[in-house]
Amino acid sequence: MTTLTELTELSESAATCTRCDLYKRATQTVFGEGGAGAALVFVGEQPGDQEDKQGHPFVGPAGRVLDRALADSGIVRSDAYVTNAVKHFKWTERGKRRIHERPGSTEIRACRPWLEDELRLVRPRLIVLLGAVAGESVFGSSFRVGTYRGKITDASVGSWQGPAVGTIHPSAVLRGPDPEARDQAYAGLVADLKVAREAAGL
Ligand code: URA
């Protein structure tokens, strides 16, 4: 069986996942997507409102920041597989809006077997942890973005072992209080992604 077929089967199994309660309020499971033999796997937090509706990872505002940062750091999409630590959208209602809520440790742990399987099949050279939830999924709750960002740390996720680089979540760029802060956050993201690209030999 090809890796692509196995990944497709894996995402079909994940579509009916009930390992935690998040499936009850989410529209659908949002599984990872990208090159089956991608050199880099990008791990985000969880699907947002747009991703939950469309069924694809990083297609909303944070995804646009990620796409731009990939291009600016010299990473081509075919070298990337993009997924999330948690594969259902966790949200609370505010008026008519669905507001993102951070997944808890129980949900992060419940979802980790899917990430383990994705890494076992894609076999990337390196993984990039986009923010604290991705970091917690891989390194546990002691993970801090400030400690791990832009650095290469050995990681072990199920049967996959290899280097990991931490960085901020792309949505942190959007949350910057003013244009200068946003530019600075974006430049930091791109710098961290360049470290990842070079460490992966791309
Ligand atoms: N934020 C994430 O962490 N993942 C997505 O897919 C979208 C937004």
Side-chain angles (χ1 to χ4, degrees):
M1 205 188 295
T2 66
T3 304
L4 184 59
T5 313
E6 285 184 276
L7 275 170
T8 305
E9 286 189 3
L10 190 64
S11 81
E12 283 164 6
S13 308
T16 54
C17 183
T18 55
R19 285 176 184 162
C20 75
D21 284 344
L22 293 184
Y23 76 96
K24 293 181 182 168
R25 299 183 73 226
T27 308
Q28 57 194 316
T29 303
V30 179
F31 208 68
E33 290 179 359
L40 296 168
V41 167
F42 291 82
V43 186
E45 180 188 288
Q46 63 166 346
D49 180 70
Q50 287 300 313
E51 290 79 12
D52 173 74
K53 288 177 184 149
Q54 296 183 40
H56 303 289
F58 282 102
V59 290
R64 286 190 280 282
V65 175
L66 179 62
D67 281 344
R68 187 157 70 94
L70 288 179
D72 285 343
S73 59
I75 297 169
V76 293
R77 248 349 242 260
S78 55
D79 280 329
Y81 178 92
V82 179
T83 191
N84 283 299
V86 171
K87 287 164 171 65
H88 281 114
F89 180 36
K90 181 172 182 178
W91 55 279
T92 47
E93 207 160 346
R94 198 170 305 153
K96 284 190 181 146
R97 293 178 59 208
R98 301 190 304 167
I99 305 297
H100 157 277
E101 202 181 321
R102 188 191 199 276
S105 298
T106 311
E107 291 142 355
I108 295 169
R109 270 199 304 275
C111 216
R112 184 166 137 134
W114 296 117
L115 180 63
E116 293 178 4
D117 282 340
E118 288 175 296
L119 294 178
R120 177 175 58 77
L121 293 175
V122 177
R123 289 190 283 128
R125 289 185 217 160
L126 183 146
I127 59 176
V128 180
L129 306 171
L130 301 167
V133 168
E136 177 173 341
S137 175
V138 169
F139 288 114
S141 57
S142 63
F143 178 90
R144 296 289 175 274
V145 171
T147 312
Y148 285 80
R149 71 173 302 176
K151 289 190 196 130
I152 298 150
T153 309
D154 288 337
S156 180
V157 185
S159 63
W160 181 86
Q161 292 186 338
V165 170
T167 188
I168 57 168
H169 191 281
S171 65
V173 173
L174 300 169
R175 282 198 307 268
D178 53 55
E180 199 183 325
R182 289 193 286 277
D183 285 350
Q184 216 175 349
Y186 179 75
L189 173 63
V190 171
D192 294 341
L193 296 189
K194 282 183 180 164
V195 170
R197 176 177 58 73
E198 282 167 20
L202 296 172

